[in-house]
Amino acid sequence: MAATASASLFSQTWLRWLAVLAVSGANFFAHLGALEVGLMEARNFVAAREMASGGSWLLPTMNGQLRLAKPPLPTWAVAAVLQLSGGTTNPALLRLPAASMALLLVLFFWGLTKELTRAAPSEELAPGRTAWLAALVLSSSLLVITVGREGHWDIFSNSLAVGSLWLLARGWNRPSPHYPSFVGAGLLLGGTILSKGPVSLYTVVLPFVGAYALSGQPTNRRNLRRHWHGTLAALLVAAVAGGAWPVYVWRHVPAAAGAVARLEAASWGERHVEPFWYYFNFAVFTGVWALVALAALLVPYARQRAARFVPYTFSLIWLLATLVLLSLVPEKKERYMLPLLPPLVVLLTGLLRYWEQIYAARPVAAGPDFWLLRGWAGLLLLACLATPIWVAVAGLPGFSPMSAAFVGIILVFGVLAAGLARGGWPQPQPTPLISISILSMSALMLLLLPAYSVSKQRRIDASLRRLAQLRTTPSWQHLPWRALDEMHIEQVWAAGRAVPTWASPTDSVPVHPTLVFAATPLPRRLPAAWQGRVQVAATDSFYLGHRREDGQFYTALLVPVLAGSRTALNQVAK
């Protein structure tokens, strides 16, 4: 009865949209600025800052040097935010483009799943429910949330690639040519190339198209033959839209472009090398859906159940092809598993819909379905009970047992635990378990992410001098800044401006007062050719991380001897 009531309640289109937007808003946009800017984010943000402050939008730079290793579309998005906000340094605002792309990924996937399940037998009883539920599952999956909340390139390329698949499937499913869908798919494919080159074409588009053509469904191959003109049009549009920037770069800086291409090709086999089976734990990265995801991969059990709701064989081939293609590349990172999530979510959503249907019709006696649902409820119940305990034991500032934040955590996770106890025993009920799984992830983002941020900040040694403090010296703002050693990109971001490395300090002498950075104290680092020609004033230092063991950088104000009197030197040093 619960499943029937829920299906009836959310049969309205506007309620389904409201649910998806609410869950995505909590998971992707809430507390966006809670965590510090990471390494990959700093690279994107520094390039965007230089772009927005007058640099080239077609030949991006990072700390004054050409940044051609990554295509510019994500950088353009962040640079636009910087221009609209007047040069903000607020991470929450700078992460808005990535969070927006995560939302688009969910919406594109919703549309794609609707196309894939259009002919499913279950659509007659509950039109669109499978695709809508799949969108909710994807928006509450752990890896999508973590990648979508950070300013990386991956969420841009994956989102646009899934969008292109939706429009391709939409065009292929039409009985007559529908060129707007194919042109739109081509534009999104071009955006994918401009986000991370051909990576998502290899990890998202290629396995999907291969599975579509080889999944054993004659209708698919017939659609491809019927719409080959539209598919060709999509490829041509993608080549023009995605190839314009690389062609521009090759024409204007061919030597630099060639060097970057060779370096990037070599890095695929030399950096972050992991074994072939590194991605085999991908189901865990669905988070609260991990047990269901594992069950959906048990082909003898899941295929006969899920095939009435989703194209199980096609989705499994899509998933396995993606896994093989990803595993063949020696360079591996956790966030590179993101292309595995869409096909996996299709599979596990089919299993969820099966459970909804059979439990709506009658109670189910003990069997694999019964024990899977009870095990799922038990794991969720333990997590809900453990969350307030962790917060209480951690003793975080602002989360004491008498604080409003802690009381809110107790109430929310207590209600969720009570719902799990009722929905998991004595007879498991799939629809409440699905709802609580979705709500628990949103509750973690809304209530627990601030606690996690406080926990991270508590490890920071507040006595350490940081670059953010040092850079505020008023008399240094108008001076050029240079580094004798390459600065970490996070420190360049913290500096608020470019700090280019001094390419040949032994061949040149500062002719103007200059603030210089180095990994060792400056008086010992000055080239011999500078002796007697510059004076060192206002030495300082700052720490690179949260602990003293993370190391230091040193600064000094260099003033040419001929630049003025001792009084002038003192004025510049103040």
Side-chain angles (χ1 to χ4, degrees), residues 108-109 112-113 116 161-162 165-166 200 202-212 214-215 311-326 338-347:
F108 285 151
F109 179 69
L112 174 61
T113 310
L116 295 178
V162 171
L165 297 182
W166 163 52
S200 289
Y202 173 78
T203 60
V204 179
V205 179
L206 178 61
F208 176 89
V209 175
Y212 191 88
L214 303 175
S215 62
Y312 186 90
T313 301
F314 159 76
S315 302
L316 183 64
I317 295 174
W318 177 18
L319 174 68
L320 295 177
T322 305
L323 179 61
V324 170
L325 292 178
L326 284 171
L338 193 58
L340 292 166
L341 268 292
L344 181 60
V345 168
V346 172
L347 292 172

Side-chain angles (χ1 to χ4, degrees), residues 97-278:
S100 300
M101 294 307 297
L103 173 59
L104 275 180
L105 171 62
V106 171
L107 298 181
F108 285 151
F109 179 69
W110 187 359
L112 174 61
T113 310
K114 187 178 294 185
E115 293 297 331
L116 295 178
T117 58
R118 185 180 297 275
S122 62
E123 288 300 291
E124 295 182 4
L125 297 176
R129 181 171 177 81
T130 301
W132 170 68
L133 183 57
L136 288 172
V137 171
L138 187 70
S139 65
S140 54
S141 296
L142 179 62
L143 187 61
V144 176
I145 293 172
T146 55
V147 175
R149 295 177 61 88
E150 298 179 346
H152 291 164
W153 296 279
D154 300 79
I155 193 64
F156 285 80
S157 61
N158 280 273
S159 177
L160 296 175
V162 171
S164 71
L165 297 182
W166 163 52
L167 291 179
L168 284 174
R170 188 166 179 260
W172 291 335
N173 283 340
R174 292 294 184 93
S176 58
H178 191 256
Y179 284 98
S181 293
F182 291 112
V183 172
L187 290 174
L188 292 178
L189 286 172
T192 299
I193 297 170
L194 290 176
S195 296
K196 209 173 179 183
V199 173
S200 289
L201 301 184
Y202 173 78
T203 60
V204 179
V205 179
L206 178 61
F208 176 89
V209 175
Y212 191 88
L214 303 175
S215 62
Q217 299 184 33
T219 303
N220 292 352
R221 290 188 287 275
R222 188 162 56 248
N223 287 344
L224 290 176
R225 288 194 298 269
R226 183 169 62 237
H227 294 293
W228 73 269
H229 291 92
T231 306
L232 179 61
L235 294 176
L236 291 175
V237 172
V240 173
W245 180 76
V247 169
Y248 179 88
V249 171
W250 276 104
R251 291 194 61 182
H252 287 78
V253 284
V260 168
R262 290 188 294 270
L263 179 62
E264 288 296 303
S267 70
W268 278 44
E270 297 175 357
R271 293 186 304 188
H272 306 289
V273 175
E274 300 291 347
F276 182 84
W277 54 86
Y278 180 78

Side-chain angles (χ1 to χ4, degrees), residues 4-24 107 110 114 127-129 131-133 135-136 139 435 438-439:
T4 303
S6 175
S8 175
L9 175 63
F10 285 99
S11 62
Q12 299 294 321
T13 301
W14 71 271
L15 279 176
R16 289 180 175 179
W17 273 93
L18 182 62
V20 170
L21 293 176
V23 171
S24 299
L107 298 181
W110 187 359
K114 187 178 294 185
R129 181 171 177 81
W132 170 68
L133 183 57
L136 288 172
S139 65
S435 302
I438 295 169
L439 291 173

Side-chain angles (χ1 to χ4, degrees), residues 308-460:
R308 294 182 57 192
F309 302 91
V310 298
Y312 186 90
T313 301
F314 159 76
S315 302
L316 183 64
I317 295 174
W318 177 18
L319 174 68
L320 295 177
T322 305
L323 179 61
V324 170
L325 292 178
L326 284 171
S327 300
L328 288 174
V329 179
E331 183 184 15
K332 297 179 178 67
K333 296 179 182 179
E334 287 184 354
R335 69 174 185 273
Y336 292 176
M337 283 189 278
L338 193 58
L340 292 166
L341 268 292
L344 181 60
V345 168
V346 172
L347 292 172
L348 74 88
T349 302
L351 198 54
L352 293 176
R353 290 284 291 116
Y354 169 79
W355 286 340
E356 278 190 333
Q357 186 183 71
I358 63 168
Y359 276 84
R362 66 187 187 282
V364 176
D369 299 309
F370 177 91
W371 291 112
L372 276 170
L373 285 166
R374 177 160 286 189
W376 182 24
L379 291 175
L380 290 173
L381 180 60
L382 287 175
C384 288
L385 294 176
T387 297
I389 296 174
W390 173 80
V391 175
V393 171
L396 302 175
F399 290 87
S400 65
M402 301 303 295
S403 66
F406 184 74
V407 171
I409 290 173
I410 287 285
L411 290 176
V412 169
F413 285 94
V415 170
L416 292 176
L420 287 166
R422 182 176 179 181
W425 288 270
Q427 185 66 236
Q429 301 175 38
T431 301
L433 294 183
I434 293 169
S435 302
I436 292 172
S437 297
I438 295 169
L439 291 173
S440 64
M441 286 304 299
S442 297
L444 286 173
M445 294 298 106
L446 292 170
L447 300 177
L448 206 63
L449 188 59
Y452 177 73
S453 176
V454 170
S455 176
K456 297 274 288 186
Q457 293 174 6
R458 194 170 59 174
R459 304 172 196 171
I460 300 175

Side-chain angles (χ1 to χ4, degrees), residues 431-493:
T431 301
L433 294 183
I434 293 169
S435 302
I436 292 172
S437 297
I438 295 169
L439 291 173
S440 64
M441 286 304 299
S442 297
L444 286 173
M445 294 298 106
L446 292 170
L447 300 177
L448 206 63
L449 188 59
Y452 177 73
S453 176
V454 170
S455 176
K456 297 274 288 186
Q457 293 174 6
R458 194 170 59 174
R459 304 172 196 171
I460 300 175
D461 187 341
S463 65
L464 300 183
R465 186 165 171 78
R466 308 293 294 279
L467 179 54
Q469 299 167 288
L470 178 147
R471 75 179 192 185
T472 58
T473 305
S475 60
W476 292 356
Q477 301 307 308
H478 66 283
L479 299 177
W481 291 15
R482 298 290 184 270
L484 296 181
D485 301 292
E486 185 175 1
M487 289 184 64
H488 299 172
I489 197 62
E490 296 100 319
Q491 302 304 321
V492 175
W493 170 247

